[in-house]
């Protein structure tokens, strides 16, 4: 990457990459170096880009197959299924279904069985102040827990539930109902091993309802503790957007939050791609019904579901 610099912008995560024009094709060699920097810094910021949705897709494809957002079709870009629009701008006089997207700590698409691997977000319009995005390093969140807590979490699975998306109901009853219909609760490990770095990362966030095999009453305080612990300021990088930024992050070892602190009369317009996940979780309902499920697993999940329905 001659002429390219990678400058850390946060201790926990985040680096600024200068000297690459994403409107032009990126060679496999440069893409490989970007991937290495991404694994090291988890969040990469490419400032000053002028790219359209097709160029965003072309760049993102270097890092794997892309999501077509079938789990949330109402948010898709009108011309490209692989691009989601995140905006507070009205369309056809109607409020945008993403006007309040991402406003609790989460990792993208964890409420689906194939959570997104990475996400790339391009800022096209931004409010004069506010509308930042914060990222928390979930490797550090895991590594700073006591060995006993780590061992307990290593054997635990969380139930991720789209109905815990902050402000989902405010997007309107039809959008909320369709979101939940398309995204029934799923199970993922509480700790995931990153396939490229081999490091363990906490995979618990504010969209986890309960742990499999623990009651809701037992789960809630632990979820609360982990959510608070994982977003301590020393684990967080806060990105102050400029128009033209492209920010690429790793959902396998980060959580993030869109800060909704801006004047709603001002426009925020972002386009996003997400890489298809490299791992599959399980549907709560399917696992529970599967005759081939291991008895212990079925029993654990049944307990989880029973408590969910309490
Ligand atoms: C997201 O959660 O993917 C959106 C983040 C943002 O709009 O800042």
């Amino acid at each position: 990457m001659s002429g390219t610099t990678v400058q850390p912008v946060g201790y926990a995560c985040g680096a600024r990459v200068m000297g690459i024009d994403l409107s032009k094709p990126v060679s496999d060699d440069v893409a490989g170096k970007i991937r290495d920097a991404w694994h090291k810094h988890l969040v990469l910021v490419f400032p000053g880009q002028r790219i359209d949705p097709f160029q965003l897709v072309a760049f993102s494809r270097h890092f794997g197959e892309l999501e077509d957002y079938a789990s949330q079709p109402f948010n898709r870009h009108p011309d490209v299924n692989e691009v989601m629009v995140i905006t507070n701008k009205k369309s056809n006089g109607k409020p945008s279904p993403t006007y309040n997207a991402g406003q609790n700590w989460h990792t993208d698409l964890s409420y689906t069985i194939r959570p997104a691997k990475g996400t790339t977000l391009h800022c096209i319009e931004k409010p004069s102040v506010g509308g930042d995005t914060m990222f928390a390093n979930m490797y550090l969140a895991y590594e700073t827990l006591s060995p006993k807590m780590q061992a307990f979490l290593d054997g635990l699975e969380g139930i991720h539930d789209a109905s815990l998306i902050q402000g989902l109901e405010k997007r309107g009853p039809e959008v909320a109902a369709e979101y939940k219909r398309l995204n029934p609760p799923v199970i993922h490990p509480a700790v995931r091993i990153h396939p490229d770095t081999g490091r363990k990362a906490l995979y618990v966030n504010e969209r986890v309802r309960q742990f499999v095999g623990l009651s809701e009453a037992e789960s809630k305080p632990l979820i609360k503790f982990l959510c608070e612990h994982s977003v301590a300021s020393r684990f967080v990088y806060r990105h102050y957007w400029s128009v033209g930024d492209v920010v690429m992050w790793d959902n396998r070892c980060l959580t993030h939050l869109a800060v909704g602190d801006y004047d709603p009369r001002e426009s925020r317009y972002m386009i996003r791609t997400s890489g298809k996940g490299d791992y599959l979780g399980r549907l709560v309902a399917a696992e529970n019904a599967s005759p081939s499920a291991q008895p212990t697993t079925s029993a654990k999940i049944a307990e989880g579901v029973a408590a969910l329905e309490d």
Side-chain angles (χ1 to χ4, degrees):
M1 288 205 292
S2 78
T4 302
T5 57
V6 180
Q7 175 73 42
V9 289
Y11 171 72
C13 53
R16 187 184 303 118
V17 183
M18 305 294 285
I20 301 182
D21 179 352
L22 301 184
S23 69
K24 306 222 167 81
V26 167
S27 69
D28 288 345
D29 180 47
V30 168
K33 300 220 165 77
I34 293 174
R35 195 176 299 111
D36 292 344
W38 191 46
H39 290 150
K40 185 166 172 201
H41 300 286
L42 321 186
V43 180
L44 295 182
V45 181
F46 301 81
Q49 305 293 331
R50 288 271 177 277
I51 55 172
D52 63 26
F54 299 97
Q55 290 164 323
L56 181 66
V57 165
F59 171 65
S60 309
R61 281 218 174 105
H62 282 285
F63 309 100
E65 214 185 325
L66 297 183
E67 249 310 312
D68 63 2
Y69 294 118
S71 63
Q72 38 193 291
F74 23 76
N75 301 340
R76 277 176 176 149
H77 189 281
D79 304 325
V80 199
N81 279 352
E82 291 87 354
V83 173
M84 186 207 261
V85 176
I86 298 187
T87 187
N88 62 345
K89 288 171 87 162
K90 288 191 172 166
S91 119
N92 301 325
K94 284 191 177 164
S96 157
T98 51
Y99 83 93
N100 62 357
Q103 294 185 3
N104 57 352
W105 284 100
H106 67 284
T107 177
D108 289 327
L109 305 185
S110 82
Y111 50 79
T112 69
I113 54 168
R114 193 171 180 184
K117 175 175 161 185
T119 293
T120 306
L121 190 63
H122 179 37
C123 176
I124 295 174
E125 288 178 63
K126 68 171 287 285
S128 49
V129 287
D132 308 330
T133 307
M134 300 205 286
F135 299 92
N137 182 327
M138 301 299 270
Y139 291 138
L140 294 179
Y142 177 78
E143 289 161 5
T144 50
L145 292 167
S146 65
K148 283 219 169 176
M149 178 59 92
Q150 289 177 345
F152 180 59
L153 293 173
D154 283 346
L156 221 50
E157 296 175 304
I159 298 176
H160 295 241
D161 189 338
S163 64
L164 295 178
I165 293 173
Q166 171 89 21
L168 182 64
E169 303 301 329
K170 288 192 189 150
R171 298 180 200 173
E174 281 157 33
V175 170
E178 186 64 353
Y179 228 108
K180 287 187 261 184
R181 188 186 70 77
L182 290 170
N183 300 288
V186 292
I187 298 168
H188 297 301
V191 176
R192 283 178 64 186
I193 300 177
H194 194 291
D196 299 308
T197 65
R199 282 174 80 183
K200 286 183 177 177
L202 186 66
Y203 200 70
V204 175
N205 59 62
E206 292 179 355
R207 295 176 182 172
V208 174
R209 178 172 294 288
Q210 186 174 346
F211 293 111
V212 173
L214 300 189
S215 69
E216 196 163 343
E218 289 166 334
S219 301
K220 286 276 182 258
L222 182 54
I223 294 168
K224 182 170 184 293
F225 163 71
L226 292 171
C227 287
E228 286 171 4
H229 164 77
S230 64
V231 301
S233 51
R234 66 191 185 283
F235 303 146
V236 170
Y237 163 67
R238 179 170 185 144
H239 186 65
Y240 300 90
W241 290 95
S242 294
V243 168
D245 285 349
V246 170
V247 173
M248 170 181 170
W249 67 83
D250 192 331
N251 286 299
R252 298 164 294 184
C253 50
L254 293 165
T255 55
H256 62 279
L257 169 127
V259 187
D261 63 339
Y262 59 93
D263 184 337
R265 293 165 302 184
E266 295 188 310
S267 298
R268 186 177 190 270
Y269 188 94
M270 324 283 270
I271 54 174
R272 178 182 118 163
T273 56
S274 296
K276 274 196 177 166
D278 40 21
Y279 134 91
L280 281 186
R282 313 188 303 281
L283 279 174
V284 169
E287 178 80 8
N288 204 33
S290 162
S292 62
Q294 293 296 316
T296 49
T297 310
S298 304
K300 279 199 300 179
I301 290 168
E303 279 174 45
V305 173
L308 257 181
E309 288 166 355
D310 275 351

